Amino acid sequence: MSEMGDDEDRRDPIEELRAADPAAGIEPREGFADEVVARVAAETAGAASPVAEPEATDAAASARPPIADLGAERTRRRPRWIPVAAVAASLAVVGAVGYGVGAATGQPANLADAAAPPISLQGQAGAGALEGSLVEPGAVDQRMAGPGAADLSYPYGFGRNAFHADGLSTTAGTAAAYAFDAPAASDPGTIAALAAALGVAGEPVLADGAWTVGPQDGTAPTLWVSLDGTMSFSYSDPGLDPWMCEEGADVCEPSGDIPSEDAAIDALRDLLASAGRDPGAYEFSSETWEGAVTRTASAWPVVDGQRIDTGWSVEVTDDGLYSAYGALAELVPLGDYPVVSEQEAFERLSDPRFGAQMTIMPFAVREQASDEVAEWVPPTDPPAVPSAGTPLSWPVNDVDIVEARLGLASQWQPDGSVLVVPAFEFTDSDGGAWSVVAVADERLDFSMG
């Protein structure tokens, strides 16, 4: 569904959260990302079982990786590139919840792994997933720049993809959908309860498209809640800001001890409970980064066995809760929606109406890019004139799908409301993941406005 009706002047909550991130400019030390990926690759290499490869039937098929039979693959162990690719993807900065796990020091003991990861329909790779990623510019643009992703195209050219798969189910069905109930959360009592849970003094004030509680001049704890589709909120206590420097100070370095993982997660559990949420309905993780004096904790709501991509996050110091972010609106059921089969969803990968998005970058692509990157040498002459009959360069990536998963993804509507709807995620043989909406055509509004 087109989002042509979005108001360009509307405040973007994601951008505001990124702007509020005190460590937005911090980069991990050189070589840190390589060490993390290498460690995980080594840990998983011994436990993985190889994937059977069918024989090529002709010369063209032998030129690319064999297509996996998904019916057979479902009975086998997942190949080792899935956890490796998941770690590689997690090394990107996640602006919506503070800091990504890529800057974490050590293994978070409370990292949740029982629920399936979120599926995205928002084109993450074009909206920030490349920030801090492991992939060199231009290395994956050919794959990622599908229909509707021209913003991903570096000078190396636009991407064209030919998708292949075998053994996909042709059975359609139904699946539950949900929505964030923003109007119910836009209530003075609800805002006041959250402010009280955070220790913010004052009465809720509605102005300029947001609820606010507390002074807005940086002198005391403050709460801000946007009138968007999830009622996203942000809280900060400037008195606990470890990056706050005294005016005129020549040297300004944060100080203090890093809180424990349990302390950060307990603070988030307490906040959820105080706000009327059931912490048992969330999965938690805790991270920090090299040189930090704070620790973050994240809580992801789990619906139908899958994490939803809109969660809560806190940052704590050894003196208490410094900041918090989240979605105040709760999910409400919308009933079942008709969904297409795996085969029909796979065909949508090549349908420009659905703008297939690569939402996880393959680990192997980064290895290839690092091997092939050469120092640029300035030219001394222009390119030679093409001869008559010169073929046009028209590179096409062969993408072999080896796994399909039906899950849930957030969909922002033109009016700002947010649905959580069935979506398919397809994993390719390189560890990349591609997503498309799973809702059948009869429940999609293809109109432009």
Side-chain angles (χ1 to χ4, degrees), residues 25 65 87 159 169 177 180 227 231 253 260 281 296 365 398 423:
V87 170
S169 170
F180 283 95
L227 295 180
M231 292 293 290
E253 294 184 359
S260 68
T296 64
V365 170
D398 281 307

Side-chain angles (χ1 to χ4, degrees), residues 294-375:
T294 64
R295 181 180 291 276
T296 64
S298 299
W300 306 98
V302 177
V303 177
D304 297 339
Q306 181 197 291
R307 292 189 187 189
I308 302 301
D309 58 3
T310 305
W312 289 43
S313 176
V314 298
E315 184 176 1
V316 296
T317 72
D318 56 357
D319 292 323
L321 183 64
Y322 164 54
S323 65
Y325 309 93
L328 189 56
E330 297 197 59
L331 286 172
V332 294
L334 297 182
D336 288 345
Y337 275 57
V339 297
V340 298
S341 67
E342 290 179 352
Q343 178 63 36
E344 188 172 348
F346 165 77
E347 293 168 2
R348 287 181 172 184
L349 292 176
S350 302
D351 188 334
R353 296 178 303 167
F354 295 96
Q357 301 287 349
M358 175 181 262
T359 54
I360 294 180
M361 305 175 197
F363 174 64
V365 170
R366 179 189 177 274
E367 282 189 320
Q368 178 184 358
S370 63
D371 291 340
E372 295 179 355
V373 172
E375 182 180 356

Side-chain angles (χ1 to χ4, degrees), residues 109-441:
N110 295 294
L111 183 64
D113 60 3
I119 296 176
S120 173
L121 295 175
Q122 307 306 320
Q124 291 179 351
L130 289 175
E131 298 176 20
S133 73
L134 302 179
V135 185
E136 296 289 339
V140 295
D141 57 297
Q142 294 255 348
R143 284 180 173 273
M144 297 172 64
D151 58 311
L152 301 176
S153 300
Y154 291 86
Y156 301 96
F158 290 85
R160 289 168 289 273
N161 303 297
F163 295 95
H164 313 274
D166 190 21
L168 292 167
S169 170
T170 58
T171 303
T174 61
Y178 305 85
F180 283 95
D181 189 355
S186 184
D187 171 77
T190 302
I191 306 298
L194 178 61
L198 292 165
V200 180
E203 296 296 324
V205 176
L206 179 60
D208 300 324
W211 289 95
T212 58
V213 183
Q216 304 298 302
D217 57 4
T219 60
T222 183
L223 172 65
W224 178 86
V225 185
S226 172
L227 295 180
D228 59 31
T230 66
M231 292 293 290
S232 58
F233 72 86
S234 64
Y235 155 84
S236 64
D237 182 352
L240 297 180
D241 186 352
W243 294 272
M244 184 68 70
C245 302
E246 294 184 5
E247 187 174 355
D250 294 332
V251 179
C252 180
E253 294 184 359
S255 61
D257 297 326
I258 300 177
S260 68
E261 293 177 345
D262 287 342
I265 290 178
D266 286 346
L268 183 49
R269 288 182 184 275
D270 291 343
L271 175 59
L272 286 166
S274 298
R277 303 298 177 88
D278 176 13
Y282 292 76
E283 286 193 340
F284 296 82
S285 63
S286 177
E287 298 89 34
T288 188
W289 69 98
E290 187 175 8
V293 296
T294 64
R295 181 180 291 276
T296 64
S298 299
W300 306 98
V302 177
V303 177
D304 297 339
Q306 181 197 291
R307 292 189 187 189
I308 302 301
D309 58 3
T310 305
W312 289 43
S313 176
V314 298
E315 184 176 1
V316 296
T317 72
D318 56 357
D319 292 323
L321 183 64
Y322 164 54
S323 65
Y325 309 93
L328 189 56
E330 297 197 59
L331 286 172
V332 294
L334 297 182
D336 288 345
Y337 275 57
V339 297
V340 298
S341 67
E342 290 179 352
Q343 178 63 36
E344 188 172 348
F346 165 77
E347 293 168 2
R348 287 181 172 184
L349 292 176
S350 302
D351 188 334
R353 296 178 303 167
F354 295 96
Q357 301 287 349
M358 175 181 262
T359 54
I360 294 180
M361 305 175 197
F363 174 64
V365 170
R366 179 189 177 274
E367 282 189 320
Q368 178 184 358
S370 63
D371 291 340
E372 295 179 355
V373 172
E375 182 180 356
W376 180 74
V377 178
T380 57
D381 294 295
V385 61
S387 59
T390 296
L392 279 70
S393 176
W394 199 262
V396 175
N397 299 294
D398 281 307
V399 181
D400 295 307
I401 299 301
V402 297
E403 183 174 320
R405 174 171 70 95
L406 178 63
L408 293 167
S410 297
Q411 165 69 15
W412 288 73
Q413 297 287 87
D415 64 356
S417 60
V418 182
L419 305 174
V420 178
V421 297
F424 273 104
E425 180 182 81
F426 293 95
T427 305
D428 66 37
S429 58
D430 290 327
W434 306 78
S435 62
V436 292
V437 66
V439 177
D441 285 12

